[in-house]
Amino acid sequence: MNTHYIPRLLLRQFAVSGKVNTYDFTTSSFATKKVKNTFALKDSFDPELEAAFAKKLEGPFGDLLNHKLLSGDTITIDRRENMLMRKFKMINFLRAPIINGSWDEMIERTRLWEHPAVQAKEFLSRHHPELRELFEKNIPSKKTYISDLKKAMEIDSLEDIANSAGRSDVSHTLALAASHGLVTVAAFWDSSRSGQEFILPKLPGISQMDQVSISYKALTIRKLRAQKKKGLDSRLRRELDRLEHGSLIYCENFSIYPISPTRVLIFFSPYFRAFFPIMDSTGTIEIYPPLLEKKQFDAHFFEPMRMELFKPCRSAFNRYYQYSVKNLTADEVMALNALLLDMETEEFVFHDYNRIRDSFWYYDKTAKFAFKKKHDFSHLI
């Protein structure tokens, strides 16, 4: 039986008559496939786990998607729906087949040799081999692939998973993944007014990487916690713990989750918001609180992707969360797709070739200036 690691409820958004268009990077070829045969492997998950996905996650998220997340310029959800959205993102990450392998296999397939986490591991391997095992404990792998997914579906609350670090029945990587799901800042971006469309990559949650070292983030959070040690309540202490632990492997500015051809769910890294260093007039570095000034965002992002920051909705006491959907320009949509085209190494799904073709052009014309170009799409334009 085919089991989907990117659920059919997302693939159907890109489909026409039950079929989607795909582009394979390895063969440089297009194909039209049935949804049931796209982003799926045979018997990856046992029937019990598949049933849990369908009943506890995909069914409820599908209702939320169709009734609230895909329409309107303002999205209002309650706390339960907010946690469901974040858990869906976490499970999509954890069940990607690329995780069901070794660290070296994952890096070879994604070609993320310059990722901060990769560089940190290589540094430890060369200079502190005794710490390599400790580092690898924080990285999802085939050792805990199925057990993490089963435990995540068994524990309903994302907060309970995040707070379970140290328990013998919950892996460290699962607790960290739940912490990431809680501390990230969600936003929605839409392209329907621009005349462009997004692609859906085989690897979910393709990310724009941070430029700040992971050790800098962890040490900054640790220092902040030490300074406020006496005045911390239990809730804030837990949040700082999650930030510190998560900063060891969560190095992205934001993660991109297309939920339709014209709408994406974005998860901003709080480290991106809080820990970009700014040089003051004396040349010293100032650390800003999580709600950054817009000028800080502008100063550290390349021109086509300059967008407004969003007020985070992650308070434990909020009953409702309201998101103002950001309408992107055509250039912004093509810039986002260019990131996906550069990072993705195997295959992606798209809805309308005539709209996506502009993204091929944009990537070929601009990618070499924004990042190291990995692909050549000149034959497609």
Side-chain angles (χ1 to χ4, degrees):
M1 181 180 72
N2 276 355
T3 53
H4 286 76
Y5 46 88
I6 293 183
R8 282 175 287 187
L9 68 92
L10 290 186
L11 291 171
R12 290 191 193 105
Q13 300 296 329
F14 293 80
V16 176
S17 301
K19 295 181 179 181
V20 293
N21 300 305
T22 66
Y23 179 81
D24 189 322
F25 282 92
T26 58
T27 61
S28 298
S29 61
F30 291 99
T32 300
K33 299 180 180 179
K34 293 182 178 179
V35 165
K36 69 176 184 178
N37 297 326
T38 305
F39 297 157
L41 297 171
K42 286 193 177 296
D43 302 321
S44 296
F45 315 117
D46 59 44
E48 181 183 355
L49 185 54
E50 275 283 286
F53 287 151
K55 183 178 180 180
K56 293 184 177 182
L57 186 72
E58 293 171 6
F61 182 81
D63 289 339
L64 177 63
L65 181 74
N66 292 320
H67 293 115
K68 291 189 176 182
L69 304 188
L70 289 180
S71 60
D73 289 334
T74 301
I75 295 172
T76 302
I77 58 177
D78 60 28
R79 178 169 173 74
R80 178 187 60 81
E81 293 168 328
N82 185 40
M83 290 296 105
L84 172 63
M85 185 174 72
R86 293 167 184 275
K87 187 171 183 178
F88 182 82
K89 173 248 187 180
M90 181 190 77
I91 294 296
N92 251 11
F93 165 72
L94 287 175
R95 66 180 168 188
I98 197 168
I99 291 177
N100 191 17
S102 70
W103 168 269
D104 292 333
E105 289 171 340
M106 180 174 68
I107 300 308
E108 187 64 30
R109 288 174 66 184
T110 57
R111 304 202 288 180
L112 296 178
W113 297 296
E114 296 184 3
H115 192 287
V118 176
Q119 293 180 339
K121 179 176 179 292
E122 294 306 311
F123 175 84
L124 291 175
S125 297
R126 290 195 303 271
H127 302 287
H128 299 281
E130 72 280 5
L131 296 178
R132 175 170 177 154
E133 182 178 349
L134 178 63
F135 183 90
E136 290 185 342
K137 190 173 92 168
N138 296 330
I139 305 297
S141 72
K142 61 183 176 183
K143 295 178 182 178
T144 60
Y145 181 69
I146 295 297
S147 60
D148 278 352
L149 290 170
K150 287 186 174 180
K151 185 57 65 174
M153 297 311 301
E154 177 185 319
I155 304 175
D156 290 331
S157 168
L158 201 63
E159 288 135 318
D160 287 345
I161 300 173
N163 293 331
S164 63
R167 276 174 39 180
S168 59
D169 62 330
V170 176
S171 75
H172 194 57
T173 58
L174 176 56
L176 282 179
S179 293
H180 300 159
L182 287 173
V183 302
T184 48
V185 181
F188 293 89
W189 293 346
D190 194 275
S191 70
S192 56
R193 298 179 189 175
S194 73
Q196 295 297 326
E197 290 186 348
F198 300 109
I199 63 174
L200 176 64
K202 183 175 182 179
L203 301 180
I206 296 298
S207 304
Q208 168 69 15
M209 286 179 287
D210 208 330
Q211 301 166 11
V212 181
S213 74
I214 52 181
S215 59
Y216 169 75
K217 293 174 182 176
L219 291 173
T220 301
I221 298 168
R222 192 171 301 170
K223 180 179 178 182
L224 176 65
R225 188 172 54 182
Q227 290 174 343
K228 298 187 175 183
K229 184 176 181 180
K230 294 181 180 179
L232 289 179
D233 59 29
S234 59
R235 182 183 63 83
L236 184 55
R237 185 179 296 108
R238 283 197 304 271
E239 185 167 315
L240 288 175
D241 284 343
R242 288 171 185 161
L243 284 169
E244 181 184 345
H245 295 155
S247 67
L248 295 175
I249 62 172
Y250 192 76
C251 312
E252 288 75 20
N253 288 339
F254 59 80
S255 299
I256 309 167
Y257 288 82
I259 55 177
S260 83
T262 57
R263 186 157 292 193
V264 291
L265 173 58
I266 304 292
F267 287 96
F268 279 92
S269 164
Y271 319 117
F272 171 53
R273 297 170 70 91
F275 298 105
F276 257 129
I278 291 182
M279 306 302 292
D280 65 9
S281 58
T282 65
T284 59
I285 294 179
E286 294 182 353
I287 306 303
Y288 277 68
L291 288 178
L292 296 182
E293 297 179 12
K294 184 177 180 295
K295 66 178 183 180
Q296 191 171 3
F297 188 81
D298 290 345
H300 292 88
F301 227 55
F302 60 93
E303 183 70 27
M305 293 296 296
R306 190 171 290 177
M307 301 176 187
E308 297 287 343
L309 283 176
F310 296 82
K311 183 178 180 180
C313 293
R314 53 192 175 90
S315 167
F317 304 104
N318 281 4
R319 292 185 61 192
Y320 294 96
Y321 301 81
Q322 189 173 91
Y323 299 91
S324 296
V325 177
K326 172 72 175 178
N327 289 290
L328 306 190
T329 66
D331 279 352
E332 288 170 339
V333 175
M334 290 188 291
L336 264 186
N337 281 341
L339 289 176
L340 297 172
L341 293 171
D342 195 64
M343 302 287 283
E344 171 61 38
T345 58
E346 295 183 41
E347 191 176 28
F348 66 83
V349 159
F350 62 97
H351 177 254
D352 186 329
Y353 176 77
N354 289 323
R355 296 184 180 186
I356 297 301
R357 181 175 55 186
D358 292 338
S359 294
F360 296 141
W361 171 86
Y362 188 97
Y363 177 87
D364 255 24
K365 299 297 182 183
T366 65
K368 61 184 178 183
F369 302 109
F371 31 76
K372 292 185 178 179
K373 192 173 175 181
K374 293 178 180 163
H375 306 292
D376 182 2
F377 296 113
S378 59
H379 62 293
L380 301 177
I381 53 179

